[in-house]
């Protein structure tokens, strides 16, 4: 790896920066109940993390043998966004343990970006709420890509935009991706991106494809697992 590694850090958002997955579950549960589809918390965490909203609805309808026509998809996507924004405004979200210190330490060292399956409006509101918006020069949201997570093209776009903004050429090996979804970790690793897997949504034993695995982004823990970050954190 380059001596000054990482030259950029790309973050997932839900389950990495903030603990917003419980809100997503509540929103999905409410919308699917109106469609006569039951969704358990266990199924959500086991099968749906790593999808964007479109992919999540397509997955659950297919799993139930239900047709999802374009009109229904548009309706549930619109309603999901409305319910999610209401939940965000009604509940105070905090950064996950260690995240604020970790992000701000890296911010002084290299450009940071977010690649999320969430909608831009949701991400912006939550980032402002945890006072970390200033740290990220690039945000790639669900509406910025044709195919959402776990497909890796969102991360490829994030790296390209960071490269353009920082005026430094970035290869996959120059970057570090911080993720909590095993399916996404496998996809980006196949493209040559080093990965820091955070066991916030899945246990560490399910994150074995990550180059590094931590239970939180507390700097002291990360430094032990990723020696190259010791001088930064």
């Amino acid at each position: 790896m380059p001596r000054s590694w990482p030259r950029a850090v790309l973050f997932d958002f839900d389950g990495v920066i903030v603990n917003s997955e419980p809100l997503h579950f509540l929103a999905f549960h409410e919308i699917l109940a109106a469609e006569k589809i039951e969704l358990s918390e266990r199924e959500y965490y086991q099968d749906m993390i790593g999808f964007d909203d479109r992919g999540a609805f397509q997955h659950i309808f297919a799993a139930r043998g239900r047709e999802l026509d374009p009109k229904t998809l548009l309706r549930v996507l619109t309603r999901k966004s409305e319910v999610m924004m209401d939940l965000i405004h009604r509940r105070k979200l905090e950064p996950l343990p260690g995240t604020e210190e970790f992000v701000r330490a890296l911010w002084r060292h290299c450009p940071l970006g977010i690649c999320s399956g969430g909608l831009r409006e949701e991400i912006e509101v939550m980032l402002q709420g945890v006072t970390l918006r200033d740290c990220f020069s690039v945000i790639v949201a669900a509406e910025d890509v044709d195919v959402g997570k776990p497909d890796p093209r969102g991360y490829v776009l994030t790296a390209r935009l960071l490269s353009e903004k920082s005026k430094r050429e970035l290869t996959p090996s120059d970057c570090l991706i911080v993720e909590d979804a095993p399916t996404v970790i496998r996809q980006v690793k196949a493209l040559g991106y080093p990965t820091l897997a955070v066991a916030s949504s899945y246990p560490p034993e399910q994150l074995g494809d990550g180059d590094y695995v931590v239970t939180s982004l507390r700097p002291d823990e990360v430094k032990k697992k990723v020696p190259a970050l010791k001088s930064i954190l």
Side-chain angles (χ1 to χ4, degrees):
M1 285 181 182
R3 193 169 156 188
S4 60
W5 186 86
R7 300 183 67 218
V9 182
L10 289 59
F11 287 81
D12 178 34
F13 186 72
D14 298 307
V16 169
I17 303 293
V18 296
N19 186 26
S20 49
E21 293 296 359
L23 302 192
H24 283 287
F25 165 69
L26 290 172
F28 274 117
H29 185 271
E30 179 177 328
I31 305 314
L32 289 169
E35 301 295 322
K36 306 290 193 295
I37 294 176
E38 269 301 315
L39 175 68
S40 69
E41 192 168 2
R42 179 180 178 183
E43 183 179 13
Y44 174 76
Y45 280 98
Q46 185 172 297
D47 297 337
M48 293 173 65
I49 288 179
F51 284 112
D52 62 4
D53 287 354
R54 179 182 300 269
F57 280 120
Q58 290 171 335
H59 170 83
I60 197 71
F61 271 74
R64 300 295 192 274
R66 291 273 299 273
E67 181 184 356
L68 183 58
D69 60 80
K71 184 178 179 181
T72 302
L73 178 59
L74 179 60
R75 183 179 72 247
V76 294
L77 286 172
T78 301
R79 186 68 186 125
K80 163 66 166 51
S81 176
E82 293 170 349
V83 172
M84 188 65 187
M85 287 302 296
D86 179 60
L87 288 169
I88 291 168
H89 285 300
R90 285 196 286 116
R91 298 184 181 217
K92 181 171 173 54
L93 289 170
E94 300 285 347
L96 282 159
T99 297
E100 185 172 3
E101 300 92 325
F102 181 71
V103 167
R104 292 205 174 275
L106 289 172
W107 174 55
R108 290 188 286 268
H109 171 78
C110 65
L112 308 181
I114 285 174
C115 174
S116 174
L119 297 176
R120 179 174 299 277
E121 183 182 20
E122 298 169 3
I123 298 163
E124 292 278 3
V125 170
M126 286 189 276
L127 268 182
Q128 294 286 359
V130 298
T131 65
L132 288 174
R133 179 63 184 91
D134 59 312
C135 296
F136 297 95
S137 55
V138 168
I139 295 175
V140 170
E143 53 265 56
D144 298 317
V145 292
D146 294 329
V147 181
K149 290 183 174 184
D151 187 279
R153 68 191 70 187
Y155 275 115
V156 174
L157 175 59
T158 307
R160 179 170 65 78
L161 294 174
L162 282 174
S163 179
E164 292 171 359
K165 283 211 167 194
S166 64
K167 295 181 170 54
R168 56 172 82 179
E169 185 177 349
L170 295 172
T171 66
S173 63
D174 289 328
C175 303
L176 175 65
I177 287 180
V178 186
E179 252 290 346
D180 69 330
T183 53
V184 181
I185 290 167
R186 283 193 289 273
Q187 295 265 7
V188 296
K189 189 173 180 179
L191 297 181
Y193 289 93
T195 55
L196 174 60
V198 187
S200 52
S201 303
Y202 293 87
E205 55 267 24
Q206 292 188 33
L207 299 171
D209 288 316
D211 295 283
Y212 314 98
V213 181
V214 292
T215 60
S216 77
L217 291 178
R218 291 183 178 92
D220 286 346
E221 180 182 356
V222 177
K223 282 189 288 188
K224 292 176 184 175
K225 295 294 181 75
V226 193
L229 296 181
K230 281 184 179 179
S231 63
I232 303 169
L233 303 177

